[in-house]
Amino acid sequence: MKHLSLGPECKPIPGEKAVWFEVILLRQYLFTLEFEPVAYKELLRTLIDKKIQLEDESITYYLNEVESLCKRIDKDMKEEELVYHMLKRLGPEIIRYISILDNNC
C-alpha cells in the first residue's frame, strides 16, 4: 500500500494506529473520488471566471468567496494566481482605490 503524505506538520503514528489512520485517509480519498462530479474543477473554474463583486457585497465576503473557490480547485495555488482571481472582478470603486496605491511590495 502506498503511504499517503500528510504534510510536514504531521508526524507518523507508530504501530497499528498508523495502519488504521492510513485506511481512514484512503477511504476518505476514495469516497471523494466516487462522489465528486466528473467536471467538478471545471465547474469551479467557471464559477471563478463569472464571479463578480455585487453592489451590496462587502469586499471581505467577495475575497473570501474567491479564495475559497481557488483553494477548492488547487489547495497549493500560487499567490500570484490567487491575487489575479481576487482582483479580476472587484467593484470599480475598489479598483480605483487600489490603482492609486504604491504596489512596489
Side-chain angles (χ1 to χ4, degrees), residues 26-37:
L26 182 60
R27 284 185 177 175
Q28 287 176 344
Y29 176 73
L30 293 174
F31 180 82
T32 303
L33 285 180
E34 183 69 28
F35 293 102
E36 187 175 272

Side-chain angles (χ1 to χ4, degrees), residues 9-62:
E9 67 280 351
C10 294
K11 295 185 173 41
I13 303 171
E16 190 176 316
K17 288 182 182 178
V19 174
W20 282 109
F21 186 68
E22 286 185 5
V23 168
I24 291 169
L25 285 178
L26 182 60
R27 284 185 177 175
Q28 287 176 344
Y29 176 73
L30 293 174
F31 180 82
T32 303
L33 285 180
E34 183 69 28
F35 293 102
E36 187 175 272
V38 175
Y40 183 66
K41 289 192 178 183
E42 286 74 23
L43 173 68
L44 292 176
R45 288 186 193 283
T46 301
L47 287 174
I48 286 178
D49 289 341
K50 295 183 185 247
K51 177 75 177 146
I52 61 170
Q53 183 187 8
L54 304 174
E55 288 183 24
D56 62 340
E57 186 175 36
S58 74
I59 183 72
T60 305
Y61 182 79
Y62 170 79

Side-chain angles (χ1 to χ4, degrees), residues 58-69:
S58 74
I59 183 72
T60 305
Y61 182 79
Y62 170 79
L63 293 176
N64 286 337
E65 284 289 308
V66 172
E67 182 179 19
S68 173
L69 287 170

